[in-house]
Amino acid sequence: MSSQAQERDGIEEEAHNKPSNSETQPLLERRTSPTSINNQPSDNPTKQLTARHAFAVLVTLQIGSGIFASPAQVDSNVPSPGAGLLVWVLGGLLSWAGAASFAELGAAIPLNGGMQAYLAYVYGDTMAFLMAWIYIMAAKPSAMAIQSIVIAESIGSISSNPTAAWLLKLIAALAFVVMVLLNSINTKVTLRLSESFTGIKLLTVFLVVLGGTVAVIAHLVNPNSSLSGGEDWYSKNWFATRSTTSEGHTIDWTSMSTWDRYGHYSAAIYGGLWAYDGWDNANVVASEIRNPGQALPKAIKAAMIVVLGSYELVNIAYYILLPWSAVSSSDAVAVVALGSAFGRWAGVLVSILVAVSCAGSITSNVFTIGRLTVAASEREYLPAILGQRGLPWRQTQAPILSSDPDIDSQMNGIAFQNQDKLSHFDAPIYANLLALSLTLVYIFTGSFRTLLTFVGMAMWVFYVSTVLGLLLLRRREPELHRPYKPSVILPATFVIVGTFIVVRSAIFAPAQAGVLACLLIIGTLISRLRAR
């Protein structure tokens, strides 16, 4: 019997013996049986993280490519710079509540598989399948399309002349094809690429904040200095209402109804939440940290304060370096801001750094969607050919890598079984080809802001469902040992506010909501047919 068949038989036997409230094992998972969760020793020697380590992991995961692009989405959907900064605070606080909720789940239910494992544990197999389906078919490909578009925007912004839309699409597509090819060599290459990109992201954030600081100092020394950025930051009211532009349409805030304002604010919040994305990996930190009851609150609080503060400073720097009317004009706002304030050389430098940062995010997404697709094929959710690894003429029977589908690969704990049997070309080629095809469709048919709203809705449907599951578990299994248990106000607020944002944005953006609804219906039908 092959190793894959033995592994599948073992999984099916375990699934048969587990409690009825978790019908089928989630994907990408080597898990402890739910019946033994509370029997694990509290001094597990595998727990290596301290509060300091957990803080570093959470900060690194959250500061990514979104902060260099999504400010344009936020600014165009709020009436003033001050309102935009408040949206960033709201996004940070909402992410804080979500991180605390996911950390409780990670400490109480130490299962590999992250959000998908919790959905299966609380709701059963259909919900877990839907999460895998939406992430494979929509969320991850759309996210990679966004990152590819930002790469193209960054490259295009170097030129003094506007770049044609079709050329930007072509650059984005070529950039993504190159990244998929690099990530289709083998796992080691992917991991090395991902690790090398982390420091570049942090460096770029630092340079943007430094640029804003230099502009303020230059203005205080000499109000007429060419380094003092735009004039709006010291000559206008930061909370005064002004017209904004979104995808070529002028938004008149003075004549807008309250309901329509909420729609624009929902779109703005998605831009902020995109930049904060990564907080959902607090569950992984929770399962690896020593003394989570005391260390986790400190790590989460410190990490969210640092990330929220960094994002506020970066956005203040954008408003200082640029005329306010220009903040929403480009999806590569960091490049435009530093280039406008300090000259072409600064713009070229930052465009390279932003492009490389986005390439790092693409690497992480290619890694996770590939492994998620392989696992889905092994569970017979998708055609078996998508589970094959390596070159078509040199297939390997290496077992599936254990990985959380939601975590950036540079911070992932990757377990190799029978590593000596791995082929040098062990990447999931067919899974990567599926991701390549889907992402190219999104690149050529969508825009940055359309895709951003679509990704936000797709991900937040499952974020809210997961935290709602936490509240259900508190009532259904009150005896479950919870080393870390935040106030019920945090998960309750997250569910209420998150539900409102999803519903209002779906009404505000019916096209994206319709596509997501169709995918959910198709996924539900496939899951039901598969269960027969």
Side-chain angles (χ1 to χ4, degrees):
M1 183 181 293
S2 70
S3 60
Q4 288 179 327
Q6 291 174 344
E7 181 180 5
R8 189 181 301 112
D9 290 343
I11 293 175
E12 290 173 352
E13 181 179 357
E14 183 182 2
H16 177 74
N17 294 329
K18 71 181 180 178
S20 60
N21 62 358
S22 182
E23 299 167 20
T24 303
Q25 299 277 16
L27 306 182
L28 288 178
E29 180 186 357
R30 290 184 304 121
R31 59 177 285 180
T32 304
S33 174
T35 57
S36 64
I37 287 175
N38 288 327
N39 296 327
Q40 293 184 3
S42 59
D43 56 346
N44 191 333
T46 63
K47 294 187 176 184
Q48 301 295 324
L49 299 182
T50 64
R52 178 172 56 84
H53 296 139
F55 162 80
V57 169
L58 288 172
V59 169
T60 304
L61 287 174
Q62 287 185 84
I63 296 180
S65 58
I67 189 59
F68 310 129
S70 55
Q73 166 88 351
V74 175
D75 180 72
S76 63
N77 285 286
V78 293
S80 67
L85 296 177
L86 291 177
V87 165
W88 283 97
V89 172
L90 177 60
L93 294 177
L94 196 59
S95 300
W96 191 333
S101 301
F102 270 57
E104 176 182 336
L105 288 168
I109 310 176
L111 305 177
N112 291 332
M115 179 167 57
Q116 189 185 41
Y118 309 140
L119 291 171
Y121 186 75
V122 177
Y123 302 106
D125 182 55
T126 298
M127 197 66 168
F129 170 81
L130 283 177
M131 184 259 177
W133 170 258
I134 292 298
Y135 268 57
I136 291 172
M137 302 300 295
K140 289 296 183 182
S142 295
M144 292 186 292
I146 291 171
Q147 290 150 358
S148 301
I149 290 171
V150 175
I151 291 176
E153 290 271 3
S154 300
I155 295 174
S157 64
I158 296 176
S159 173
S160 57
N161 298 319
T163 306
W166 68 268
L167 183 56
L168 290 176
K169 295 273 189 180
L170 182 60
I171 294 173
L174 291 175
F176 183 70
V177 169
V178 170
M179 293 308 302
V180 171
L181 291 176
L182 289 175
N183 284 279
S184 295
I185 300 174
N186 62 27
T187 301
K188 289 183 179 180
V189 171
T190 298
L191 295 179
R192 287 171 181 168
L193 284 172
S194 186
E195 290 170 358
S196 65
F197 291 138
T198 302
I200 294 176
K201 295 178 183 179
L202 300 177
L203 174 62
T204 310
V205 169
F206 172 77
L207 290 178
V208 173
V209 175
L210 179 62
T213 304
V214 169
V216 171
I217 294 174
H219 176 74
L220 293 176
V221 173
N222 178 12
N224 297 319
S225 173
S226 60
L227 299 178
S228 60
E231 297 180 356
D232 292 343
W233 68 273
Y234 60 82
S235 63
K236 294 182 179 180
N237 183 348
W238 283 60
F239 288 90
T241 300
R242 88 291 197 228
S243 297
T244 57
T245 302
S246 178
E247 296 188 326
H249 301 289
T250 300
I251 302 173
D252 184 6
W253 292 90
T254 58
S255 60
M256 187 179 299
S257 67
T258 301
W259 181 245
D260 287 337
R261 280 176 177 260
Y262 285 152
H264 282 286
Y265 277 121
S266 296
I269 289 173
Y270 274 144
L273 294 176
W274 165 259
Y276 284 106
D277 196 47
W279 59 262
D280 50 302
N281 296 302
N283 62 309
V284 178
V285 173
S287 64
E288 297 293 334
I289 195 170
R290 296 197 295 263
N291 192 12
Q294 295 182 5
L296 259 181
K298 296 179 181 178
I300 292 174
K301 181 179 180 180
M304 294 309 304
I305 288 175
V306 168
V307 175
L308 195 158
S310 297
Y311 284 1
E312 284 292 296
L313 291 174
V314 168
N315 280 278
I316 290 173
Y318 290 148
Y319 286 119
I320 290 173
L321 295 172
L322 285 173
W324 290 351
S325 60
V327 174
S328 60
S329 64
S330 173
D331 295 325
V333 63
V335 177
V336 176
L338 289 181
S340 174
F342 301 107
R344 181 178 175 81
W345 67 270
V348 171
L349 173 63
V350 175
S351 67
I352 294 172
L353 293 177
V354 170
V356 173
S357 297
C358 291
S361 298
I362 291 174
T363 293
S364 297
N365 280 319
V366 170
F367 179 88
T368 54
I369 193 176
R371 273 61 187 179
L372 183 61
T373 305
V374 168
S377 69
E378 288 294 316
R379 298 290 296 152
E380 299 180 354
Y381 288 176
L382 295 173
I385 190 173
L386 294 175
Q388 295 182 7
R389 297 171 179 275
L391 300 174
W393 59 87
R394 189 178 179 182
Q395 298 295 340
T396 174
Q397 297 297 322
I400 299 172
L401 299 176
S402 176
S403 168
D404 183 338
D406 304 317
I407 192 168
D408 284 345
S409 60
Q410 69 268 25
M411 291 298 170
N412 230 339
I414 300 174
F416 289 95
Q417 298 178 359
N418 303 323
Q419 187 170 0
D420 57 319
K421 297 180 181 179
L422 284 173
S423 166
H424 179 66
F425 298 96
D426 67 332
I429 299 296
Y430 293 106
N432 286 356
L433 286 175
L434 174 63
L436 174 64
S437 302
L438 292 171
T439 302
L440 289 178
V441 170
Y442 287 117
I443 288 174
F444 285 113
T445 61
S447 66
F448 174 90
R449 302 183 192 192
T450 300
L451 291 171
L452 191 59
T453 303
F454 179 60
V455 171
M457 279 191 283
M459 290 185 171
W460 273 78
V461 165
F462 294 103
Y463 288 159
V464 172
S465 298
T466 302
V467 178
L468 178 61
L470 179 150
L471 296 174
L472 295 175
L473 278 181
R474 285 193 179 186
R475 182 176 180 84
R476 193 174 77 190
E477 300 183 27
E479 74 286 352
L480 184 65
H481 177 57
R482 295 174 171 85
Y484 171 58
K485 186 178 180 181
S487 169
V488 70
I489 295 175
L490 290 179
T493 301
F494 184 90
V495 170
I496 294 171
V497 177
T499 300
F500 176 81
I501 293 173
V502 170
V503 172
R504 183 63 191 97
S505 61
I507 297 173
F508 183 74
Q512 294 95 310
V515 173
L516 179 60
C518 290
L519 287 173
L520 287 170
I521 292 171
I522 293 172
T524 302
L525 292 175
I526 293 174
S527 180
R528 295 298 174 86
L529 291 173
R530 181 185 141 271
R532 291 181 178 179

